[in-house]
Amino acid sequence: MPAPPPVSDDGTPMESDLGEDTSAPAPVWDDTSREEAQRLARDAMTAYARPDTPPDQWWAEFSKHLSAQAAYDYQWVDPTSIPARAVTGPASITAEPSVYLAELTVPTDAGTYGVLLSRTDGPGPWKVERITPPESLEQPSGEPA
């Protein structure tokens, strides 16, 4: 059973440091949650793997899948630097480290990418935190691919 949300002296739910309401239910791992994670990972990689798309259009379509931190991290990515051009299969969940995180892989024409997803609460959507290129494509500088 999840812990109750913190409450203020007057008994109302407190907000987190991020200003988020902490009264939302905790997420659960179930078939629907797994399907949503797989769909998001595939959709995000489909939006990501389009190096021939004009940068403004690429960003508008890709960024809607990202968490706030990922949007900050990926805002300067040049889509022409992305070697993948197409998703070639379904996303697969490789790890469920917590009910708030999911690790998936998505096959592309340039190899299999890793996708880390997060969510903040039960009703909240999955968001992309990180896309990791196949080992053969990883950049030594540590820049997002």
Side-chain angles (χ1 to χ4, degrees):
M1 179 173 192
V7 293
S8 65
D9 292 336
D10 66 0
T12 59
M14 294 176 62
E15 291 188 357
S16 72
D17 292 340
L18 300 174
E20 298 171 18
D21 182 354
T22 58
S23 64
V28 295
W29 271 116
D30 58 15
D31 290 342
T32 300
S33 179
R34 287 177 180 89
E35 289 167 8
E36 289 170 354
Q38 290 170 311
R39 183 173 31 257
L40 175 63
R42 183 174 171 82
D43 289 352
M45 279 303 302
T46 298
Y48 179 78
R50 297 175 312 136
D52 297 328
T53 304
D56 290 343
Q57 178 184 349
W58 176 84
W59 180 247
E61 295 169 5
F62 174 58
S63 65
K64 68 183 179 183
H65 302 291
L66 304 176
S67 70
Q69 181 62 50
Y72 177 81
D73 292 342
Y74 286 90
Q75 67 183 324
W76 302 113
V77 169
D78 178 0
T80 63
S81 69
I82 299 169
R85 296 181 170 276
V87 171
T88 59
S92 299
I93 297 173
T94 57
E96 299 172 0
S98 83
V99 294
Y100 296 96
L101 295 173
E103 296 176 19
L104 297 93
T105 56
V106 180
T108 73
D109 60 341
T112 300
Y113 280 73
V115 180
L116 177 64
L117 304 181
S118 69
R119 56 187 172 177
T120 58
D121 55 38
W126 286 108
K127 292 291 187 176
V128 173
E129 289 295 335
R130 181 92 176 145
I131 293 176
T132 306
E135 287 185 29
S136 61
L137 298 176
E138 284 188 18
Q139 300 172 356
S141 65
E143 294 291 320

